[in-house]
Every structure is written in structure tokens, then in C-alpha cells.
Amino acid sequence: MTRIDETKSPLNAPSGGQKRQNEATEAEQIALPFAHRPRFGRSDFVAAPSNAAARAWVLDAEAAARWPEGRMALWGESGTGKTHLLSIWAGRYGAPIMEGSRLNTHEAAMLFEDGGFRAAALDNADKVPNERDLLHLINLARERRVALLMAARRPPARWPVVLPDLASRLRATASVPLGPAEEGLLHRLLLRLLAERQIVVGAQVTEWLLRRLPRRASAMRDCVAMLDQAALESGGRITRALAANVLESLLAREE
């Protein structure tokens, strides 16, 4: 169960076409849907006080050996860096990353049988459709002495589960939160997201946006994606007027 990497689709260059007498040809720019691939390297992670505890429990070389029951859960709102930390940790240990919404017992068992790895990661762990599949994964990891790192929106003790055995396992799972982003983190995050997409935005426009965007990392991420699309459609640079249109659309969508 691996992530699918998507690459950007090339923009087609316009063909020469035939010139018609007494008729001017008009070029029309079409914005094709790019599939953006976020960077999840350690150097790309924006460190801040809000994620200091999570970094200590996940990025420290000896941290996994101190996890009770050999497992840990990262939790926090969307955009706080859970998947990024999960990916850094998985890369260090050569661990497979499983997607919670697609987890099933058979594939997990096959993965553990054939893998030979000593660590595994589960993203969106609170979205596993079948509770028995999650219980089976946790039991497999414990039996095989495989460190298990999970990520979710809420701490494990608050996941809505019915199976008593699973509830017991989740209560015994250590967890660490990633808090809301600070102002400095939001500023650095916005600049990094713009750089990822190679979007050039003037400092005045960036500061204007920062003063008005919702104070959440997910809002920064959505804003940059919308700016990218708007710039492609307009075929021009990102002005404050274009940024204002994007901000208005973003706020309207959130409402």
C-alpha cells in the first residue's frame, strides 16, 4: 500500500496553424490541472514550538525504543505536519506507509509476511473502515515487534470504536499532539509552499495575504493551490488584485 506519485502534465505548446487572409488568429491559454506533489523531506519540515514535542518523540534516533507498547500516535488538525513527520520517520526506517481508509486485514498480513521490516506507519488511522482490521494491524505489530507510528485528527483514546479489545489497545497507545501553527510558522510555511510550486509573489502581496488568511496551516496550503491555479488561468503575475480574488473565494468556500 504505497502512495501514488503524480507528476506534472506538460503544457502543450501552440502549433503554428494556418494564417487566414484578413483574419487575425487569437491564442487562448488553457490552464491544465497540475498534480502537485508536496515535499516531505526532513529539511522541508518547518520546526516550531507547536510541533516540538512531536519532533522529540518521532525524529529522535532512539525515540521509537521508548514508545510504550512499541507504538505512537501523532494527532492534530489538518495541515499541522502529521503526514510530513510520518513520512520522515518512515523514510528513516524503510517503513511502509499504509493509508487508513484503505487498510484491510489481508493486505496488512501479506505486507508483514513479505516485508522483513522493523517499522510501519499508518496515516489517517482514525479513518480505517473496519475496526477489526485496525486491531489486527496493532496485534501484528506487537507480535512481530514492529514499531508502529500512526497519524490521526484526534488522540487514540477519542477514536469512536466499539470493539473492547481495540479500545483497550488504543488507550494503551502513547500519543503526542501537533498544536495550531504560530505566526512565525505560518509565515515560513506560506513561503515554503510558494517555493514548492515555483510561484513568484512579491513581498507586499505575501504580507497582505498573511494579515488576512485564517490562522491555520491548512488555509495557507489551500490558498497557495488556488493562487497557482488562478495564475495559470490568467497567464500573468500574481498581483494583489488576483490575491484578493483568491482570498475572497477561499473565505467564501470555508463559510
Side-chain angles (χ1 to χ4, degrees):
M1 282 169 275
T2 56
R3 300 182 182 277
I4 298 174
D5 289 334
E6 296 175 294
T7 56
K8 295 182 177 179
S9 301
L11 290 174
N12 295 328
S15 60
Q18 292 183 337
K19 292 184 179 179
R20 297 180 179 179
Q21 189 174 2
N22 300 325
E23 205 173 299
T25 58
E26 186 175 313
E28 181 181 359
Q29 181 173 2
I30 302 174
L32 297 181
F34 277 64
H36 172 62
R37 181 176 58 192
R39 296 201 303 255
F40 282 146
R42 180 160 185 170
S43 61
D44 299 310
F45 189 81
V46 182
S50 57
N51 55 48
R55 284 185 285 116
W57 278 105
V58 173
L59 298 185
D60 184 271
E62 304 299 326
R66 302 195 302 269
W67 296 352
E69 300 289 319
R71 58 183 178 270
M72 173 66 67
L74 300 169
W75 64 274
E77 292 300 318
S78 174
T80 51
K82 303 183 300 297
T83 298
H84 197 153
L85 277 180
L86 195 82
S87 299
I88 295 171
W89 182 84
R92 168 185 289 168
Y93 291 98
I97 301 177
M98 296 169 280
E99 166 56 41
S101 62
R102 297 194 297 270
L103 182 71
N104 67 73
T105 299
H106 176 70
E107 289 190 9
M110 293 290 291
L111 190 65
F112 274 68
E113 192 66 33
D114 301 335
F117 44 82
R118 305 307 302 165
L122 179 65
D123 203 4
N124 295 311
D126 52 348
K127 295 182 180 179
V128 176
N130 190 317
E131 291 183 16
R132 294 189 182 279
D133 292 337
L134 181 56
L135 176 61
H136 186 63
L137 173 65
I138 291 175
N139 287 341
L140 269 176
R142 187 171 65 170
E143 291 167 7
R144 304 290 179 88
R145 299 184 181 276
V146 171
L148 177 63
L149 179 63
M150 300 181 286
R153 292 287 187 94
R154 292 179 290 177
R158 292 177 54 197
W159 296 356
V161 300
V162 176
L163 291 176
D165 286 349
L166 178 57
S168 174
R169 301 285 191 277
L170 293 179
R171 285 194 299 270
T173 300
S175 65
V176 59
L178 287 93
E182 303 88 347
E183 289 299 312
L185 172 55
L186 291 174
H187 191 174
R188 296 196 301 275
L189 178 63
L190 179 61
L191 295 178
R192 182 178 70 78
L193 291 169
L194 290 168
E196 273 188 8
R197 293 176 180 263
Q198 300 180 1
I199 303 174
V200 178
V201 182
Q204 289 183 339
V205 176
T206 302
E207 294 298 331
W208 184 88
L209 277 171
L210 278 168
R211 290 194 298 270
R212 291 162 175 82
L213 279 167
R215 317 322 291 165
R216 300 191 313 278
S218 58
M220 303 289 160
R221 181 186 59 206
D222 293 343
C223 177
V224 170
M226 294 170 70
L227 281 174
D228 196 9
Q229 182 64 24
L232 283 171
E233 291 174 351
S234 68
R237 65 189 183 90
I238 296 178
T239 61
R240 199 172 84 169
L242 187 145
N245 289 335
V246 165
L247 179 62
E248 183 180 357
S249 298
L250 176 65
L251 295 178
R253 189 176 69 179
E254 292 201 346
E255 289 175 0

PDB file of all heavy atoms in Angstrom, residues 29 31 199 226-238 242 246:
ATOM      1  N   GLN A  29      -5.021  30.777 -23.773  1.00  0.00           N
ATOM      2  CA  GLN A  29      -4.257  29.990 -22.799  1.00  0.00           C
ATOM      3  C   GLN A  29      -5.209  29.114 -22.003  1.00  0.00           C
ATOM      4  O   GLN A  29      -6.209  29.574 -21.475  1.00  0.00           O
ATOM      5  CB  GLN A  29      -3.499  30.914 -21.843  1.00  0.00           C
ATOM      6  CG  GLN A  29      -2.674  30.120 -20.848  1.00  0.00           C
ATOM      7  CD  GLN A  29      -1.795  31.026 -20.024  1.00  0.00           C
ATOM      8  OE1 GLN A  29      -1.846  32.229 -20.187  1.00  0.00           O
ATOM      9  NE2 GLN A  29      -0.996  30.454 -19.153  1.00  0.00           N
ATOM     10  N   ALA A  31      -5.501  26.511 -18.823  1.00  0.00           N
ATOM     11  CA  ALA A  31      -4.834  26.056 -17.600  1.00  0.00           C
ATOM     12  C   ALA A  31      -5.123  24.580 -17.407  1.00  0.00           C
ATOM     13  O   ALA A  31      -6.257  24.184 -17.152  1.00  0.00           O
ATOM     14  CB  ALA A  31      -5.338  26.854 -16.401  1.00  0.00           C
ATOM     15  N   ILE A 199       6.134  29.533  -7.422  1.00  0.00           N
ATOM     16  CA  ILE A 199       5.292  30.709  -7.615  1.00  0.00           C
ATOM     17  C   ILE A 199       6.036  31.935  -7.099  1.00  0.00           C
ATOM     18  O   ILE A 199       6.490  31.957  -5.952  1.00  0.00           O
ATOM     19  CB  ILE A 199       3.957  30.563  -6.864  1.00  0.00           C
ATOM     20  CG1 ILE A 199       3.223  29.301  -7.322  1.00  0.00           C
ATOM     21  CG2 ILE A 199       3.084  31.794  -7.064  1.00  0.00           C
ATOM     22  CD1 ILE A 199       1.959  29.023  -6.520  1.00  0.00           C
ATOM     23  N   MET A 226      -4.800  27.563  -4.771  1.00  0.00           N
ATOM     24  CA  MET A 226      -5.717  28.402  -5.531  1.00  0.00           C
ATOM     25  C   MET A 226      -4.980  29.518  -6.265  1.00  0.00           C
ATOM     26  O   MET A 226      -5.346  29.888  -7.391  1.00  0.00           O
ATOM     27  CB  MET A 226      -6.787  28.973  -4.594  1.00  0.00           C
ATOM     28  CG  MET A 226      -7.714  27.908  -4.016  1.00  0.00           C
ATOM     29  SD  MET A 226      -8.815  28.510  -2.696  1.00  0.00           S
ATOM     30  CE  MET A 226      -9.916  29.555  -3.653  1.00  0.00           C
ATOM     31  N   LEU A 227      -3.939  30.060  -5.654  1.00  0.00           N
ATOM     32  CA  LEU A 227      -3.107  31.065  -6.328  1.00  0.00           C
ATOM     33  C   LEU A 227      -2.445  30.469  -7.573  1.00  0.00           C
ATOM     34  O   LEU A 227      -2.386  31.115  -8.629  1.00  0.00           O
ATOM     35  CB  LEU A 227      -2.031  31.596  -5.377  1.00  0.00           C
ATOM     36  CG  LEU A 227      -2.426  32.646  -4.351  1.00  0.00           C
ATOM     37  CD1 LEU A 227      -1.256  32.917  -3.418  1.00  0.00           C
ATOM     38  CD2 LEU A 227      -2.869  33.938  -5.023  1.00  0.00           C
ATOM     39  N   ASP A 228      -1.956  29.252  -7.433  1.00  0.00           N
ATOM     40  CA  ASP A 228      -1.304  28.572  -8.555  1.00  0.00           C
ATOM     41  C   ASP A 228      -2.277  28.421  -9.715  1.00  0.00           C
ATOM     42  O   ASP A 228      -1.957  28.715 -10.871  1.00  0.00           O
ATOM     43  CB  ASP A 228      -0.803  27.206  -8.079  1.00  0.00           C
ATOM     44  CG  ASP A 228       0.206  26.591  -9.038  1.00  0.00           C
ATOM     45  OD1 ASP A 228       0.652  27.285  -9.968  1.00  0.00           O
ATOM     46  OD2 ASP A 228       0.542  25.415  -8.847  1.00  0.00           O
ATOM     47  N   GLN A 229      -3.490  27.956  -9.418  1.00  0.00           N
ATOM     48  CA  GLN A 229      -4.494  27.765 -10.454  1.00  0.00           C
ATOM     49  C   GLN A 229      -4.905  29.101 -11.086  1.00  0.00           C
ATOM     50  O   GLN A 229      -5.047  29.212 -12.305  1.00  0.00           O
ATOM     51  CB  GLN A 229      -5.717  27.060  -9.861  1.00  0.00           C
ATOM     52  CG  GLN A 229      -6.828  26.767 -10.868  1.00  0.00           C
ATOM     53  CD  GLN A 229      -6.396  25.785 -11.942  1.00  0.00           C
ATOM     54  OE1 GLN A 229      -5.475  24.994 -11.724  1.00  0.00           O
ATOM     55  NE2 GLN A 229      -7.054  25.838 -13.091  1.00  0.00           N
ATOM     56  N   ALA A 230      -5.089  30.117 -10.253  1.00  0.00           N
ATOM     57  CA  ALA A 230      -5.502  31.428 -10.762  1.00  0.00           C
ATOM     58  C   ALA A 230      -4.431  32.035 -11.665  1.00  0.00           C
ATOM     59  O   ALA A 230      -4.741  32.653 -12.689  1.00  0.00           O
ATOM     60  CB  ALA A 230      -5.805  32.360  -9.595  1.00  0.00           C
ATOM     61  N   ALA A 231      -3.160  31.862 -11.292  1.00  0.00           N
ATOM     62  CA  ALA A 231      -2.075  32.400 -12.113  1.00  0.00           C
ATOM     63  C   ALA A 231      -2.007  31.687 -13.454  1.00  0.00           C
ATOM     64  O   ALA A 231      -1.745  32.304 -14.495  1.00  0.00           O
ATOM     65  CB  ALA A 231      -0.749  32.266 -11.368  1.00  0.00           C
ATOM     66  N   LEU A 232      -2.242  30.376 -13.457  1.00  0.00           N
ATOM     67  CA  LEU A 232      -2.260  29.626 -14.713  1.00  0.00           C
ATOM     68  C   LEU A 232      -3.394  30.096 -15.622  1.00  0.00           C
ATOM     69  O   LEU A 232      -3.219  30.256 -16.826  1.00  0.00           O
ATOM     70  CB  LEU A 232      -2.412  28.133 -14.429  1.00  0.00           C
ATOM     71  CG  LEU A 232      -1.166  27.389 -13.944  1.00  0.00           C
ATOM     72  CD1 LEU A 232      -1.536  25.985 -13.496  1.00  0.00           C
ATOM     73  CD2 LEU A 232      -0.118  27.326 -15.032  1.00  0.00           C
ATOM     74  N   GLU A 233      -4.542  30.332 -15.032  1.00  0.00           N
ATOM     75  CA  GLU A 233      -5.701  30.723 -15.821  1.00  0.00           C
ATOM     76  C   GLU A 233      -5.561  32.139 -16.386  1.00  0.00           C
ATOM     77  O   GLU A 233      -5.984  32.418 -17.502  1.00  0.00           O
ATOM     78  CB  GLU A 233      -6.970  30.613 -14.977  1.00  0.00           C
ATOM     79  CG  GLU A 233      -7.342  29.173 -14.640  1.00  0.00           C
ATOM     80  CD  GLU A 233      -8.516  29.092 -13.675  1.00  0.00           C
ATOM     81  OE1 GLU A 233      -8.924  30.155 -13.148  1.00  0.00           O
ATOM     82  OE2 GLU A 233      -9.010  27.966 -13.440  1.00  0.00           O
ATOM     83  N   SER A 234      -4.965  33.029 -15.577  1.00  0.00           N
ATOM     84  CA  SER A 234      -4.826  34.417 -16.028  1.00  0.00           C
ATOM     85  C   SER A 234      -3.626  34.619 -16.943  1.00  0.00           C
ATOM     86  O   SER A 234      -3.597  35.547 -17.749  1.00  0.00           O
ATOM     87  CB  SER A 234      -4.707  35.347 -14.817  1.00  0.00           C
ATOM     88  OG  SER A 234      -3.478  35.126 -14.133  1.00  0.00           O
ATOM     89  N   GLY A 235      -2.645  33.736 -16.789  1.00  0.00           N
ATOM     90  CA  GLY A 235      -1.448  33.858 -17.617  1.00  0.00           C
ATOM     91  C   GLY A 235      -0.558  35.020 -17.249  1.00  0.00           C
ATOM     92  O   GLY A 235       0.347  35.395 -17.993  1.00  0.00           O
ATOM     93  N   GLY A 236      -0.792  35.602 -16.091  1.00  0.00           N
ATOM     94  CA  GLY A 236       0.010  36.748 -15.670  1.00  0.00           C
ATOM     95  C   GLY A 236       0.617  36.544 -14.303  1.00  0.00           C
ATOM     96  O   GLY A 236       0.537  35.460 -13.711  1.00  0.00           O
ATOM     97  N   ARG A 237       1.209  37.597 -13.778  1.00  0.00           N
ATOM     98  CA  ARG A 237       1.820  37.506 -12.454  1.00  0.00           C
ATOM     99  C   ARG A 237       0.760  37.638 -11.377  1.00  0.00           C
ATOM    100  O   ARG A 237      -0.378  38.062 -11.636  1.00  0.00           O
ATOM    101  CB  ARG A 237       2.897  38.580 -12.298  1.00  0.00           C
ATOM    102  CG  ARG A 237       2.370  39.998 -12.330  1.00  0.00           C
ATOM    103  CD  ARG A 237       3.530  40.994 -12.400  1.00  0.00           C
ATOM    104  NE  ARG A 237       3.042  42.369 -12.352  1.00  0.00           N
ATOM    105  CZ  ARG A 237       2.860  43.061 -11.231  1.00  0.00           C
ATOM    106  NH1 ARG A 237       3.130  42.488 -10.054  1.00  0.00           N
ATOM    107  NH2 ARG A 237       2.414  44.310 -11.253  1.00  0.00           N
ATOM    108  N   ILE A 238       1.133  37.287 -10.169  1.00  0.00           N
ATOM    109  CA  ILE A 238       0.193  37.343  -9.054  1.00  0.00           C
ATOM    110  C   ILE A 238       0.223  38.747  -8.454  1.00  0.00           C
ATOM    111  O   ILE A 238       1.183  39.140  -7.795  1.00  0.00           O
ATOM    112  CB  ILE A 238       0.529  36.279  -8.000  1.00  0.00           C
ATOM    113  CG1 ILE A 238       0.369  34.881  -8.610  1.00  0.00           C
ATOM    114  CG2 ILE A 238      -0.372  36.423  -6.772  1.00  0.00           C
ATOM    115  CD1 ILE A 238       0.714  33.758  -7.677  1.00  0.00           C
ATOM    116  N   LEU A 242      -5.380  39.904  -7.879  1.00  0.00           N
ATOM    117  CA  LEU A 242      -5.604  38.470  -8.071  1.00  0.00           C
ATOM    118  C   LEU A 242      -5.615  37.757  -6.720  1.00  0.00           C
ATOM    119  O   LEU A 242      -6.449  36.881  -6.475  1.00  0.00           O
ATOM    120  CB  LEU A 242      -4.523  37.894  -8.984  1.00  0.00           C
ATOM    121  CG  LEU A 242      -4.703  36.430  -9.419  1.00  0.00           C
ATOM    122  CD1 LEU A 242      -4.194  36.224 -10.835  1.00  0.00           C
ATOM    123  CD2 LEU A 242      -3.968  35.489  -8.465  1.00  0.00           C
ATOM    124  N   VAL A 246      -8.611  35.465  -4.916  1.00  0.00           N
ATOM    125  CA  VAL A 246      -8.379  34.128  -4.360  1.00  0.00           C
ATOM    126  C   VAL A 246      -8.793  34.079  -2.889  1.00  0.00           C
ATOM    127  O   VAL A 246      -9.446  33.136  -2.449  1.00  0.00           O
ATOM    128  CB  VAL A 246      -6.898  33.735  -4.523  1.00  0.00           C
ATOM    129  CG1 VAL A 246      -6.551  32.524  -3.648  1.00  0.00           C
ATOM    130  CG2 VAL A 246      -6.585  33.437  -5.985  1.00  0.00           C
TER     131      VAL A 246
END
